[in-house]
Amino acid sequence: MAKNLTFKLKSGDLMPLVGFGTYQIHGEELIRDVLDKALGAGYRLIDTAKVYHNENEIGKALKELLPKYNLTRKDIFITSKLSPQDQGDKAYEALQHSVHNLDCEYLDLFLIHWPGAFGTNSASNNNSKLRDRSWELLVQGVKDGLTKNIGVSNYNVKHMRAILQKNHGIIPAVNQVEWHPHYHQADLKKLVDKEGILLQAYSSLGGTNNPDLLTDKTVVEISKQLGKTSAQVLLRWSLQQNIAVIPKASSQKRIEENIKLDFVIPEEDMQKLSSIQFQNKYAWDPDTIA
């Protein structure tokens, strides 16, 4: 099953290619319920962020649920992210807070969530200075054992080239970006592949409460041919490009379906999905950030 697929990061750590996203999932009871279902279905990567406001609930739920599935801390991969509010000198302290909130000893991956800084004009060069300072402090966080790996999110080619040039001794392990047949950047994929950086997709199924991607004619046609759901086809499309995915769901059925990706989309159909003419970005646009 897809739950066994992993990517070897530069640190040597194995990162699951299929993880469980927790954006917009709130409340102690709901968090516990969905993580119970996710762990039972085989997910071993949990993705969160400070701005999701659920780190505490996730930490508490994992403490309770891991023993239920005979798992320990080392059996799961926990990702969190630096808030734009903490970009710059606050980055190290923010990393400490995420580890504390999740009550998990260390993080497996900590990402700079956004290339811009809260309260800084998007066109200002201060954005690049602040994210460079964040990276410098997160490199120290790796050395101090707060997180095993560090990476970025929503970085475009320009942002990636800058951090590769001035990396303070560690290049990003992961770049988490919006990626689906309606929006994908070939130049970004080429750059990260060359550097051995893993792309991880978010919004794989389209925008929140926006069915355009799931009901896309080409997606639906291929899903019917393969006897799979539209969501499964979209997730598998990324996986076959060696791009990790973090689908979010709350129902048992969807949670289980989203990890059952042990099928192959024929190359002809992969090309059809990659060549869909309709293009639409469903999430925030990092190209506005200097």
Side-chain angles (χ1 to χ4, degrees), residues 115 131 154-163 286-287 289-290:
R131 62 176 175 263
N154 296 295
Y155 272 41
N156 62 19
V157 170
K158 176 185 67 178
H159 303 137
M160 287 303 300
R161 284 179 176 154
I163 198 170
D287 290 345
I289 305 297

Side-chain angles (χ1 to χ4, degrees), residues 41 78 83 99 153-154 167-168 219 221 230 251 253 255 268:
I78 301 177
S83 164
V99 174
S153 181
N154 296 295
N167 55 57
H168 300 285
V219 175
E221 179 183 290
S230 290
S251 73
K253 184 172 183 286
I255 287 172
E268 180 183 352

Side-chain angles (χ1 to χ4, degrees), residues 60-203:
K60 186 174 181 180
L62 289 175
K63 275 285 191 292
E64 180 181 345
L65 293 169
L66 291 182
K68 176 179 178 179
Y69 294 100
N70 295 315
L71 298 171
T72 64
R73 170 66 186 90
K74 63 180 176 59
D75 295 316
I76 57 170
F77 193 104
I78 301 177
T79 300
S80 194
K81 309 180 192 76
L82 179 76
S83 164
Q85 287 185 313
D86 297 322
Q87 192 82 273
D89 289 337
K90 298 179 182 177
Y92 188 93
E93 186 180 358
L95 170 56
Q96 288 179 309
H97 282 163
S98 283
V99 174
H100 177 265
N101 291 341
L102 284 156
D103 193 15
C104 61
E105 301 172 42
Y106 61 89
L107 296 179
D108 294 280
L109 178 64
F110 194 64
L111 307 176
I112 295 178
H113 205 159
W114 180 246
F118 179 78
T120 301
N121 187 289
S122 61
S124 171
N125 286 331
N126 282 336
N127 287 293
S128 63
K129 293 175 183 177
L130 288 167
R131 62 176 175 263
D132 176 66
R133 177 59 174 158
S134 294
W135 192 253
E136 181 182 14
L137 291 172
L138 296 188
V139 167
Q140 187 61 49
V142 173
K143 294 175 181 176
D144 293 344
L146 290 170
T147 182
K148 290 189 170 185
N149 302 277
I150 50 178
V152 296
S153 181
N154 296 295
Y155 272 41
N156 62 19
V157 170
K158 176 185 67 178
H159 303 137
M160 287 303 300
R161 284 179 176 154
I163 198 170
L164 287 169
Q165 184 175 6
K166 190 178 181 183
N167 55 57
H168 300 285
I170 299 179
I171 74 167
V174 172
N175 185 9
Q176 186 184 110
V177 298
E178 181 176 0
W179 188 279
H180 46 71
H182 286 178
Y183 184 80
H184 46 103
Q185 307 169 73
D187 53 346
L188 180 62
K189 180 70 162 63
K190 184 178 180 180
L191 174 61
V192 298
D193 283 353
K194 180 184 176 184
E195 299 293 339
I197 299 167
L198 177 66
L199 268 191
Q200 186 180 46
Y202 72 79
S203 292

